[in-house]
């Protein structure tokens, strides 16, 4: 690479031999006034280019799209419903048409007993020749495929809703605190410090003790935990921007505080805010899963990834296939959001200290 | 002191590329710089012209994504027993450079004293670190020497300051400390990378005076990297004007200031703030420094040059010799080129500078 | 410095007070709290009321409550272990949790720092990529997924370590829960160390140190590491809190008799008094850790330690 460059300039082949006509003033007075040396590129276009150059971020984005797609269409892809029980068909191992001929996903599982392990196929034992549970069935004979994707749907709705509400509350709090400064800022920051002093675990637990468990309650509880981080970022950005010329100009022109905060400053800090939202989604997914695990989650028969994992845990040594799909989907989802957030952060704020 | 005609640093045909995520950046494109013992050379240019990179190459502290394509950096030094040795720094590995060159023979003063001192270490520790490292000086002796150094660079209360942390000192004081650190191991060559840019105007002059004084007293060579021609005028013997990774004009200080030949040098001189200018408008060079990601055929300065010739877009100008010491890379010096004079305003300004200098010498 | 510490102490105190106030209010609202139970006879109720001063004005009640808590009197458990003082329940369980959590923090911090250091020093090499992949997975996958995976493979199938915690084999049975708990801490610290270290390595003072001729271990340990580690202390506090959250589930998975599993049991059996007491314990621990970290940070960083009095 480097060699090619050095020859390219030191040995320009063929060497141009100047003729007399070349020694004329170019008269480029019109041109030089224009700054053409740097190609001016749209900021967001730059961000996109940098983002898509990162393999991890692109992988994350694709995974999020795929999982979201399955969360939408997955439950409708077979004849089962998320709450339909068929007790005669409980604890069946995964069986997929086509793949079963290859010796995998053929509905057999290895049972461990005190005398050793043996391979059983409950489909055959029960004579279910035409029944397929792609991810297997659970303790109540419910289809795990359908439940996994409707669980993913619930988890995604909760996480995205919580993150968005966080964003609005935290952002407004931070922007107002940073913009007005002085006493307002002092009081608001002390309140924030105290709020931050209470562990999230405690807030969420207590809240769910008082309120009835359900999707809205969980969203509300999650909302109360993440806004602090968001407001810090918004405040820091505001402090950076509020002394800048375009804000001062707007103020001298008589713009109101509300206008300056939400119309002048907000569009300029949307990058870090989106990044923070991306980071708070996996946290919300995790917290929801944790709540389900301790019994404060979505009430049955509805399910979320967390409650599925919690159910699967009860029989995870005997029927490990029951816990694997929700765990994989959740881990992938959290990983993907983290990857996208990472990629976004670096794309928005490239630390190009390369010279 | 030693023979003044002895060459201490000879950078020849240096060519460096940075491999960045945006693509290769050809930052240095064939730079030649000489420095004699005891002399001061200034390297002048806009930010991004490659001044600092050249000197970082000489210090062996280039970023890891830099590739030296060709060239030599020959440094001449004396061993303790007086024997002379010349090495090509680019041939040596980092470890050797750290052991034998950095701090000990070539020291560097950085631009921003606010960031160039380790915030978690006391001034004293940072001062004696180099001495203990290179010469195994006993701590106590090094401590005493460090106090002397602080006094030498004009810091009052030196004993007390030794125990201070950088954040407890003002910007000017910190830069004095940085200079003291640079001098700690008696280097032969001091590289000052924009040593006054980050400081208040009133302190700038003092720091320049300090560097000049130290240079005189110790007889060391100094390289100034700067974009400020005002600083250059005060300190340098020789000037190298750099543009887009190349030296475009070089010469003695008087030749550059009173008889500039390259249109870029004209621009730089015109852009210098001057109290006497009757024209209130400060001249600026149109356009901005070239994007080194893209190679341009011909003269890199042509797009910003109001005196550009047709040939400038086709072939890069060679160095034209004007006097024994003065050279410039512009096709305007070719005998076939039309006769182009420097702008009238600049001419008037140079006349004024000349008169001032004469008056200064007479008084 | 004095002012700095005083400020932190005051904030901590007021936060704790605010938490107690919230807990106190919740206590009054709880449908199942012993004070409002319908099964109690009037005489019992009166006795309880007198004992907790419920016949007195609410402000007095609050102060009593605060006083009781600071004396370690949290009342009695109502459902899990009937009429056992909660302080007694906590006393036996807290050390187990602190031990498992402590081992996790130590493992996580040390491995994380080494990993981050490796990634930063070997920036843009296969080591960096590897460390980054490990840390992204560690941050993204919840600790109880690791707990389940480890418990199934190393515990159930290979039987290298006990699947369930037992006091007879403290050493062996701490391994799996501590390792699964430490993953998040490890990964976060690795990420943070890497980015801090990269920033320090690119700083002017590192360049100056290099230009002085310092190299090798001296350069890394005397200059780089010290500067990179100071901010790492600040992330330890929130990480410990995340670890507390994780410990709830991990303790349940491994049947560890700690405060985490106690809280889970209390939540599941609606033993509000225990939940509220444990909430206080968790908050107090959290506030204490934050306080210690803040003060430690001030002591280590000369920029705060020697700040002018006005700051």
């Amino acid at each position: 690479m480097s060699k090619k460059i050095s020859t390219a300039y030191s040995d320009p082949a063929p060497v141009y031999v100047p003729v007399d006509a070349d020694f004329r003033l170019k008269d480029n007075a019109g041109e030089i006034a224009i700054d053409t040396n740097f190609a001016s590129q749209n900021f967001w276009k730059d961000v996109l280019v940098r983002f898509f150059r990162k393999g991890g971020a692109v992988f994350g984005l694709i995974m999020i799209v795929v999982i979201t797609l399955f969360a939408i269409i997955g439950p409708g892809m077979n004849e089962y419903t998320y709450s339909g029980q068929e007790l005669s068909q409980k604890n069946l191992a995964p069986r997929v048409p086509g793949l079963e001929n290859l010796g995998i996903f053929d509905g057999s599982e290895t049972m461990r007993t005190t005398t050793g392990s043996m391979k059983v196929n409950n489909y055959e034992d029960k004579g279910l020749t035409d029944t397929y549970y792609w991810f297997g069935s659970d303790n109540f004979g419910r289809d795990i495929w359908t439940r996994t994707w409707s669980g993913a749907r619930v988890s995604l709705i909760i996480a995205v809703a919580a993150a968005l509400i966080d964003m609005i509350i935290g952002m407004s709090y931070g922007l107002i605190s940073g913009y007005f400064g002085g006493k307002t800022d002092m009081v608001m920051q002390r309140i924030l410090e105290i709020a931050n002093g209470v562990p999230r675990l405690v807030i969420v637990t207590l809240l769910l003790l008082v309120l009835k468990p359900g999707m809205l309650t969980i969203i509300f509880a999650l909302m109360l935990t993440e806004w602090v981080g968001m407001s810090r970022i918004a405040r820091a950005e505001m402090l950076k921007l509020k002394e800048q010329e375009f804000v001062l100009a707007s103020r001298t022109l008589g713009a109101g505080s509300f206008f300056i905060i939400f119309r002048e400053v907000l569009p300029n800090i949307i990058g870090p805010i989106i990044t923070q939202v991306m980071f708070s989604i996996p946290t919300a997914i995790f917290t929801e899963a944790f709540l389900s695990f301790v019994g404060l989650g979505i009430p049955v028969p509805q399910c979320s990834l967390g409650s599925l994992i919690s159910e699967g845990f009860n029989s995870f040594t005997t029927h490990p296939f029951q816990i694997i799909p929700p765990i994989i989907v959740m881990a992938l989802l959290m990983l993907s959001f983290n990857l996208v957030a990472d990629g976004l952060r670096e794309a928005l704020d490239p630390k190009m200290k390369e010279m | 002191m030693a023979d003044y005609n002895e060459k201490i640093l000879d950078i020849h045909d240096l060519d460096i590329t940075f491999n960045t995520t945006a693509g290769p950046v050809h930052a240095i494109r064939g730079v030649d710089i000489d420095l004699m013992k005891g002399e001061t050379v200034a390297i002048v240019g806009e930010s991004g012209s490659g001044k600092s990179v050249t000197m970082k190459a000489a210090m062996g502290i280039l970023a890891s994504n830099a590739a030296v394509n060709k060239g030599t950096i020959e440094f001449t030094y004396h061993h303790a027993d007086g024997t002379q040795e010349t090495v090509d720094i680019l041939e040596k590995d980092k470890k050797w450079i750290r052991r034998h060159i950095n701090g000990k023979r070539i020291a560097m003063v950085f631009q921003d004293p606010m960031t160039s001192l380790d915030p978690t270490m006391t001034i004293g520790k940072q001062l004696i670190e180099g001495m203990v490292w290179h010469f195994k000086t006993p701590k106590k002796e090094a401590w005493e020497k460090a106090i002397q150094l602080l006094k030498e660079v004009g810091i009052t209360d030196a004993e007390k300051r030794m125990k201070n942390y950088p954040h407890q000192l003002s910007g000017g004081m910190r830069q004095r400390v940085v200079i003291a650190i640079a001098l700690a191991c008696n280097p032969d060559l001091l590289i000052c990378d924009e040593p006054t840019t980050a400081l208040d105007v009133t302190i700038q002059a003092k720091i320049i005076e300090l560097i000049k004084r130290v240079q005189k007293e110790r007889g060391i060579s100094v390289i100034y990297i700067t974009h400020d021609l005002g600083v250059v005028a005060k300190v340098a013997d020789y000037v190298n004007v750099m543009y887009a990774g190349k030296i475009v004009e070089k010469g003695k200080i008087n030749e550059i200031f009173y008889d500039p030949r390259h249109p870029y040098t004209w621009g730089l001189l015109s852009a210098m703030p001057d109290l006497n200018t009757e024209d209130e408008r400060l001249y600026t060079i149109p356009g901005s420094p070239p994007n080194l990601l893209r190679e341009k055929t011909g003269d890199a300065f042509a797009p910003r040059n109001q005196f550009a010739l047709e040939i400038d877009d086709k072939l890069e100008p060679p160095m034209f010799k004007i006097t024994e010491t003065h050279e410039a890379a512009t096709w305007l010096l070719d005998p076939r080129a039309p006769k182009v004079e420097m702008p009238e305003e600049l001419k008037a300004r140079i006349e004024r500078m000349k008169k001032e200098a004469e008056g200064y010498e007479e008084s | 410095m004095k002012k700095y510490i005083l400020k932190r102490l005051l904030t901590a105190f007021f936060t704790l007070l605010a938490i107690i106030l919230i807990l106190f209010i919740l206590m009054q609202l709880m449908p199942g709290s012993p004070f409002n139970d319908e099964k109690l006879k009037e005489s019992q109720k009166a006795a309880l009321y007198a004992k907790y001063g419920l016949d007195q004005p609410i402000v007095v009640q609050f102060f009593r409550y605060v006083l009781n808590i600071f004396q370690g009197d949290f009342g009695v458990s109502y459902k899990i272990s009937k009429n056992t003082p909660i302080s007694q329940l906590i006393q036996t369980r807290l050390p187990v949790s602190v031990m498992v959590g402590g081992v996790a923090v130590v493992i996580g911090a040390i491995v994380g720092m080494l990993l981050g250091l490796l990634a930063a020093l070997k920036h843009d090499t296969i080591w960096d990529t590897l460390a980054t992949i490990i840390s992204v997975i560690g941050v993204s996958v919840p600790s109880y997924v690791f707990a389940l995976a480890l418990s199934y493979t190393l515990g159930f199938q290979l039987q290298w370590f006990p699947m369930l915690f037992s006091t007879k084999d403290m050493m062996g049975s701490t391994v799996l829960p501590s390792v699964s708990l430490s993953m998040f801490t490890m990964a976060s610290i690795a990420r943070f160390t890497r980015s801090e270290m990269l920033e320090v390595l690119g700083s002017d003072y590192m360049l100056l140190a290099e230009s002085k001729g310092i190299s090798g271990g001296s350069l890394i340990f005397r200059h780089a590491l010290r500067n990179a580690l100071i901010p790492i202390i600040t992330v330890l506090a929130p990480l410990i809190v995340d670890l507390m959250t994780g410990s709830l589930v991990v303790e349940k998975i491994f049947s560890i008799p700690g405060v985490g599993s106690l809280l889970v049991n209390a939540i599941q059996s609606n033993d509000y008094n225990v939940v509220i007491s444990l909430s206080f314990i968790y908050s107090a621990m959290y506030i204490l850790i934050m306080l210690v970290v803040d003060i430690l940070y001030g002591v280590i960083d000369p920029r705060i330690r020697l700040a002018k009095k006005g700051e």
Side-chain angles (χ1 to χ4, degrees):
Chain A
M1 192 63 151
S2 53
K3 202 167 176 201
K4 202 174 126 205
I5 290 153
S6 61
T7 49
Y9 94 93
S10 65
D11 189 21
V15 177
Y16 178 78
V17 182
V19 292
D20 279 355
D22 286 327
F23 292 91
R24 250 191 343 205
L25 278 174
K26 240 169 74 179
D27 188 27
N28 57 356
E31 276 170 51
I32 57 172
I34 308 161
D35 210 340
T36 51
N37 287 321
F38 282 109
S40 63
Q41 261 200 357
N42 181 310
F43 171 72
W44 289 103
K45 207 172 142 195
D46 261 357
V47 169
L48 277 184
V49 168
R50 281 195 294 265
F51 180 84
F52 281 106
R53 212 179 273 146
K54 287 193 70 88
V58 175
F59 169 79
L61 193 64
I62 293 172
M63 283 321 294
I64 291 173
V65 170
V66 169
I67 292 176
T68 311
L69 211 68
F70 271 107
I72 295 168
I73 62 165
M77 280 171 74
N78 55 23
E79 69 275 22
Y80 306 107
T81 60
Y82 72 90
S83 56
Q85 301 184 0
E86 182 54 62
L87 284 170
S88 64
Q89 298 179 4
K90 66 177 188 179
N91 296 332
L92 291 174
R95 186 184 187 197
V96 184
L99 288 178
E100 61 181 333
N101 302 326
L102 301 171
I104 46 168
F105 294 108
D106 57 357
S108 63
E109 61 177 318
T110 311
M111 296 293 282
R112 269 169 184 264
T113 56
T114 42
T115 50
S117 56
M118 58 174 193
K119 211 169 178 182
V120 292
N121 191 326
N122 282 324
Y123 291 88
E124 285 166 12
D125 296 350
K126 290 182 180 161
L128 300 164
T129 48
D130 212 23
T131 309
Y132 291 93
Y133 287 102
W134 298 337
F135 280 177
S137 68
D138 70 2
N139 213 13
F140 295 99
R142 292 176 293 199
D143 178 36
I144 294 180
W145 166 275
T146 310
R147 281 178 71 74
T148 300
W149 295 120
S150 37
R153 185 191 290 177
V154 170
S155 291
L156 271 173
I157 291 174
I158 290 176
V160 172
L164 288 180
I165 299 172
D166 273 354
M167 181 186 85
I168 294 166
I169 296 178
M171 197 177 68
S172 310
Y173 194 94
L175 287 177
I176 290 169
S177 178
Y179 180 79
F180 290 104
K183 277 213 176 89
T184 318
D185 187 41
M186 226 277 288
V187 172
M188 286 178 86
Q189 287 310 304
R190 290 297 87 74
I191 293 173
L192 188 131
E193 262 171 44
I194 288 177
N196 196 40
V198 191
R200 311 200 174 344
L201 163 70
V202 171
I203 301 181
V204 176
T205 316
L206 292 179
L207 210 81
L208 286 167
L209 282 184
V210 185
L211 301 172
K212 246 182 97 181
M215 200 193 261
L216 282 178
T217 319
I218 295 177
I219 292 176
F220 183 62
L222 289 176
M223 183 193 87
L224 282 179
T225 60
E226 279 292 305
W227 68 276
V228 173
M230 180 67 79
S231 86
R232 287 221 166 116
I233 286 173
R235 178 171 173 267
E237 294 291 326
M238 171 59 96
L239 291 180
K240 242 190 282 171
L241 286 179
K242 85 172 177 184
E243 299 305 329
Q244 285 196 0
E245 282 78 5
F246 70 94
V247 176
L248 293 178
S250 185
R251 202 178 303 172
T252 37
L253 287 172
S257 301
F258 187 84
F259 180 85
I260 294 177
I261 293 175
F262 292 98
R263 297 298 296 278
E264 295 281 352
V265 175
L266 188 58
N268 286 290
I269 66 168
I270 208 75
I273 299 271
I274 292 175
T275 311
Q276 178 67 17
V277 169
M278 284 304 196
F279 274 119
S280 67
I281 288 176
T283 315
I285 293 176
F286 169 70
T287 314
E288 185 278 319
F290 154 79
L291 286 173
S292 298
F293 205 92
V294 300
L296 291 174
I298 296 287
V300 285
Q302 273 186 298
C303 59
S304 68
L305 290 175
S307 66
L308 288 172
I309 294 172
S310 176
E311 283 167 23
F313 169 64
N314 295 326
S315 52
F316 94 105
T317 50
T318 45
H319 305 291
F321 62 84
Q322 292 179 352
I323 201 170
I324 288 175
I327 276 201
I328 288 184
V329 171
M330 184 172 72
L332 268 180
L333 213 48
M334 286 180 62
L335 184 73
S336 304
F337 273 108
N338 270 314
L339 285 172
V340 169
D342 266 348
L344 210 57
R345 180 170 56 188
E346 277 170 43
L348 282 164
D349 181 22
K351 288 206 175 97
M352 286 248 286
K353 212 179 175 185
E354 296 183 306
M355 273 178 71
Chain B
M1 278 312 285
D3 180 7
Y4 265 54
N5 287 324
E6 187 184 303
K7 216 179 231 181
I8 180 164
L9 190 73
D10 184 357
I11 299 177
H12 181 69
D13 201 17
L14 185 66
D15 192 287
I16 296 173
T17 305
F18 287 89
N19 292 308
T20 69
T21 44
V25 173
H26 200 175
I28 305 292
R29 307 178 301 140
V31 164
D32 296 285
I33 295 171
D34 301 331
L35 177 62
M36 299 294 175
K37 190 144 198 164
E39 279 180 354
T40 304
V41 163
I43 304 176
V44 189
E46 286 165 299
S47 39
S49 61
K51 307 164 288 184
S52 296
V53 173
T54 310
M55 286 307 125
K56 279 180 181 168
M59 290 290 282
I61 52 172
L62 278 176
S64 55
N65 62 340
V68 177
N69 306 323
K70 58 178 181 173
T72 54
I73 300 180
E74 282 177 354
F75 178 65
T76 307
Y77 62 95
H78 295 267
H79 288 286
D81 57 7
T83 51
Q84 184 178 321
E85 187 172 344
T86 301
V87 292
D88 180 1
I89 288 176
L90 296 176
E91 300 269 294
K92 299 288 185 183
D93 63 358
K94 264 195 171 171
K95 213 170 166 188
W96 189 93
I97 299 173
R98 299 283 177 278
R99 246 305 131 221
H100 298 274
I101 301 293
N102 291 159
K104 209 169 164 183
R105 298 197 164 95
I106 308 179
M108 199 155 173
V109 173
F110 290 92
Q111 176 173 2
D112 189 353
M114 297 294 171
T115 56
S116 56
L117 289 168
D118 187 335
T120 58
M121 210 185 250
T122 58
I123 304 295
K125 275 198 184 144
Q126 296 191 49
L127 264 166
I128 65 170
E129 195 182 18
M131 293 185 253
V132 175
W133 179 262
H134 285 299
F135 303 122
K136 308 269 177 293
T137 318
K139 277 231 169 97
K140 209 161 170 212
E141 197 187 318
W143 191 267
E144 291 302 318
K145 220 180 140 197
I147 293 176
Q148 284 310 312
L149 276 168
L150 284 184
K151 284 181 181 157
E152 186 183 340
V153 297
I155 288 182
T156 49
D157 264 350
E159 285 90 353
K160 210 179 108 200
R161 292 294 175 209
M162 290 286 282
K163 286 183 190 129
N164 278 162
Y165 284 90
H167 74 271
Q168 294 170 295
L169 272 55
S170 67
M173 282 237 258
R174 283 189 218 187
Q175 197 62 308
R176 285 172 196 269
V177 170
V178 174
I179 293 170
I181 290 175
L183 295 175
C185 294
N186 291 316
D188 304 324
L189 170 60
L190 191 63
I191 299 172
C192 301
D193 187 353
E194 309 246 10
T196 58
T197 312
L199 300 174
D200 283 353
V201 186
T202 46
I203 298 161
Q204 283 183 5
K206 286 185 187 156
I207 295 290
I208 290 171
E209 280 308 311
L210 170 67
I211 296 174
K212 265 175 96 172
R213 199 190 77 217
V214 167
Q215 179 187 18
K216 220 179 222 166
E217 285 169 6
R218 294 179 172 240
I220 55 181
S221 318
V222 175
I223 296 177
Y224 267 97
I225 303 170
T226 181
H227 62 263
D228 185 351
L229 279 171
V231 172
V232 175
K234 282 187 207 131
V235 296
D237 301 318
Y238 287 91
V239 181
N240 290 281
V241 179
M242 228 173 148
Y243 185 81
K246 278 197 77 148
I247 305 273
V248 293
E249 184 162 10
K250 64 190 332 182
K252 286 191 162 166
I253 176 112
N254 285 351
E255 291 165 335
I256 298 294
F257 272 80
Y258 300 151
D259 187 21
R261 295 300 179 95
H262 197 284
Y264 180 62
T265 318
W266 294 347
L268 280 181
L269 283 167
S270 307
M272 216 165 101
D274 176 359
L275 289 176
N276 300 327
T277 319
E278 276 143 38
D279 183 5
E280 295 88 1
R281 276 192 346 190
L282 192 59
Y283 176 81
T284 53
I285 302 172
S288 50
N291 186 347
L292 294 173
L293 275 170
R294 266 173 249 151
E295 298 269 333
K296 180 192 174 304
T297 44
D299 186 356
F301 185 60
R304 301 170 70 187
N305 183 2
Q306 62 181 116
F307 307 110
L309 303 178
E310 299 286 345
I311 179 75
D312 276 329
D313 286 337
K314 295 169 184 161
L315 193 63
E316 197 163 22
M319 272 288 192
F320 288 94
K321 222 169 189 123
I322 302 145
T323 70
E324 211 33 60
T325 49
H326 191 185
E327 293 172 53
T330 166
W331 284 115
L332 291 178
L333 293 172
D334 192 281
R336 290 166 287 186
K339 205 156 167 50
V340 173
E341 290 279 334
M342 67 176 87
E344 280 305 316
E345 301 91 354
L346 182 59
K347 215 180 226 169
R349 178 179 254 208
I350 288 175
E351 281 309 313
R352 239 181 3 253
M353 287 199 298
K354 269 187 188 165
K355 269 202 197 105
E356 269 171 41
E358 277 160 20
Y360 181 72
E361 270 158 34
E362 276 162 23
S363 64
Chain C
M1 186 63 189
K2 260 187 201 152
K3 192 158 182 177
Y4 173 82
I5 292 179
L6 199 71
K7 205 178 136 194
R8 300 295 127 142
L9 275 172
L10 271 178
T11 314
F13 178 74
F14 278 112
T15 313
L16 205 58
L17 219 58
I19 289 168
I20 296 177
L21 181 65
I22 295 167
L23 296 179
F24 177 74
I25 293 168
L26 280 173
M27 195 77 135
Q28 311 289 318
L29 294 175
M30 284 306 171
S33 84
F35 307 110
N36 300 336
D37 194 61
E38 285 147 20
K39 280 181 271 175
L40 287 176
K41 286 181 201 131
E42 273 309 309
S43 60
Q44 283 175 310
K45 225 173 191 174
L48 261 176
Y49 269 53
K51 190 185 172 202
Y52 290 98
L54 291 185
D55 43 356
Q56 288 177 16
I58 198 104
V59 184
V60 178
Q61 282 184 40
F62 178 64
F63 275 107
R64 255 174 186 264
Y65 185 70
V66 173
L67 225 66
N68 279 341
I69 278 187
F70 279 114
Q71 283 167 355
D73 178 6
F74 297 104
V76 293
S77 161
Y78 184 59
K79 279 186 179 145
I80 295 180
S81 154
K82 210 156 186 160
N83 292 331
T84 318
I86 293 171
S87 51
Q88 200 181 315
L89 279 177
I90 292 172
Q91 239 169 30
T92 53
R93 285 162 170 270
L94 194 58
V96 182
S97 290
V98 169
M99 188 194 71
V100 173
V103 173
V105 170
V106 172
I107 295 177
I110 292 174
V111 177
M113 261 180 228
L114 290 177
L115 210 60
L117 212 59
L118 179 77
L121 292 178
K122 307 254 175 204
H123 185 43
D124 278 341
T125 64
I126 182 79
W127 295 108
D128 187 14
T129 316
L130 221 72
T132 307
I133 290 174
I134 292 176
S135 54
V136 168
I137 291 175
V139 169
S140 309
V141 180
S143 51
Y144 70 88
V145 173
F146 284 116
L148 287 170
L150 288 179
S151 139
Y152 187 72
T153 52
L154 300 186
F156 179 66
Q157 286 195 317
L158 298 171
Q159 308 209 328
W160 288 358
F161 299 99
M163 257 185 94
L164 300 177
F165 190 85
S166 82
T167 39
K168 285 179 206 134
D169 181 17
M170 287 284 250
M171 285 281 281
S173 52
T174 312
V175 174
L176 293 185
S178 288
V179 166
S180 29
L181 267 180
S182 71
M183 290 304 276
F184 186 79
T185 317
M186 190 264 304
S188 308
I189 296 220
R191 270 158 75 108
F192 203 72
T193 309
R194 177 178 177 272
S195 70
E196 278 301 317
M197 197 66 185
L198 282 180
E199 203 170 318
V200 168
L201 288 177
S203 70
D204 283 358
Y205 56 82
M206 285 301 286
L207 219 51
L208 182 80
E210 270 192 90
S211 82
K212 277 197 279 191
I214 313 294
S215 64
S218 241
L219 187 70
I220 302 300
F221 288 104
R222 288 173 62 113
H223 291 280
L225 207 54
R226 200 204 308 228
N227 279 290
L229 286 191
I230 291 174
I232 291 175
I233 294 172
T234 54
V235 289
L236 261 178
L239 282 178
I240 290 173
V241 177
D242 287 323
L243 200 132
M244 284 180 187
T245 315
S247 75
L248 258 68
V249 186
V250 171
E251 284 189 10
K252 194 183 162 189
I253 288 173
F254 292 100
S255 308
I256 299 172
V259 278
S261 52
L262 179 66
L263 181 56
V264 175
N265 286 341
I267 291 170
Q268 285 170 348
S269 56
N270 286 338
D271 196 337
Y272 298 111
N273 212 2
V274 175
V275 173
I276 284 177
S277 307
L278 284 178
S279 297
F280 172 77
I281 295 281
Y282 274 108
S283 308
M285 284 204 301
Y286 176 50
I287 290 167
L288 188 74
I289 291 167
M290 294 266 275
L291 188 67
V292 169
V293 163
D294 269 354
I295 291 176
L296 203 65
Y297 186 65
V299 170
I300 290 176
D301 192 337
R303 277 162 295 189
I304 295 180
R305 175 162 29 106
L306 301 171
K308 295 225 176 74
K309 286 211 173 86
E311 283 170 53

